[in-house]
Amino acid sequence: MTAKRLIRGRAGVVILCVMAILAFAAEAIALTTTMPGYQLVTAFPDGWTVVTPETATRYAALLGVSSEVAAEVMRSDNVIVAAFGTGADIAMRVRMEETSVSAVYFDIDRYTTAMRNAIRADYLDDAAWKVTGVRFSAAEWKNPSKSGRYLRLTYIRRSEGETIARGLMAFTVRNGREVTLQIEATGRQLTSKEVQLFDQWIAETTFEPRLEMPLLPTELVFEQPLVRETNGLSVRVKGSTAPGALVTGSLTQGSDAPFKVGEAVAKSTGAFTLNLTLPREGTWTLRVESALEGRETSVSETQLTANTARIPFNLNTPLEGEVWDAQPRLAGVTLAGTEITVSDGGNVSKRTTSDGAFSIKLGQEPAGTRVVTVTLRKKGFEERTIQYVFERRWQTDDYEAYLKSQVKSLSYANLVADPAKYTGRIVKWSGVANSASDDEGVTNMILVTAPGKAETARVYCLADEAPQVDPDGEVTVYGEITGEVITIEGGDGETSATLPIMKLLMIASE
């Protein structure tokens, strides 16, 4: 995501920056700095301290890091130059990063409207700021004649639930690199003069263009993922590319030379329909190309198997590796009328497709290795079984939302009266983390669920890893009742206690 790129950054971007450091009140040039690789002319206020990775060691205190790592911190965050005001609470930074997309499209004006809309939506994605700590409240594309097109952004930076800084950014793409200009105030709002300073800074910043811009790609966007299995010798591929581009399909088998099996010319809208005729059954490498004079040819490849006696089963997204979806699914296309039986752990579901399209929800709950078995049946074909093995993973917010949906109310009195009755129930309780320790590799925590009362309700939590809680601190947890109990021996005059056991699933973010 673009927002995440701004926070994490990537080291190793080589740039040449020719900076004219100007006073904004019509002062003379104060400083010129040159770095190898790229050309940029920008301006900073007179009297501000200008820092580059090469000079970072001397100004480590301004960066808030040790002198040993100051230069690397700037490079890893893609900061090529920063300027700090006379007060310690205001700073300006220029970031640059070459990405696979910016290297090809080279300049923001070569990005399509859809691409620019996607960049804007990326910054405003609510899920991203929970990861990065930076929340963008406004994002608007501007295109002034002097500075050129850029995305103007308003943001706040948060840490541990507190707002620690506020600022403005300008994002653009120039000379094959993403460029971000930023002004940020720590612990306060930007003043109206600082907002004006930011807008003037954008106006003062210019880029020296390069002439060697790469060709734009024709691009290939398919309506559905390229088919991998077919029970016939005809395949149809629909999608979009550059208007007027020649789209061709070719096959390769083993070390044989590729041969063309279909072609089409994209319409004025860019849409195309490519009809392919396979010479015989077998497994092939299908290559689809889109070529147009003055554009870089785009290519997509996949393995294609033709077997007239087998029910084809094509997934939209492969079910392999790590799967992080909040709701894992089997979705794709097979033959109309196919009966699909899915065995997912102890759950079995069955359905018959009407038109061949299917979308089947898998179980959400287990994390770790999952094995899903799919059985296909259709009259005139042999029964077919396919097995998928993948690692189920959870995004923290998705997992908490799932657990919240599974919670059922349970009183402490009912639990202690018959713990086995509630085995497997998901609960959410708040209280004090009375103690946390490791016992022979097993982490335990006694959660006091009714602090401050004469007779407290206590639950013994078991966790795979040591919970991150403050001793005697208030905490809210999600847990699964095990149906078992444990006796805690008393000490210092206390009597022993028998506590219900709960498997700790997660500590809530609230």
Side-chain angles (χ1 to χ4, degrees), residues 412 428-436 444-453 456-461 467-477 499 502 504 507:
Y412 187 76
K428 179 182 179 182
W429 279 336
S430 298
V432 172
N434 183 261
S435 67
N444 60 74
M445 176 177 70
I446 300 176
L447 176 70
V448 182
T449 61
K453 294 185 179 180
T456 60
R458 296 193 295 172
V459 177
Y460 189 85
C461 299
Q468 300 299 309
V469 296
D470 295 328
D472 298 321
E474 293 187 5
V475 67
T476 298
V477 302
L499 308 181
M502 176 173 69
L504 181 63
I507 298 176

Side-chain angles (χ1 to χ4, degrees), residues 61 89 96 101 137 143 148 186 190 239-240 263 269 309 381 411 444 468:
D89 60 352
M96 287 190 181
V101 177
S137 58
N143 193 15
T186 302
L190 290 171
S240 62
E263 68 177 26
T269 60
F381 293 86
S411 71
N444 60 74
Q468 300 299 309

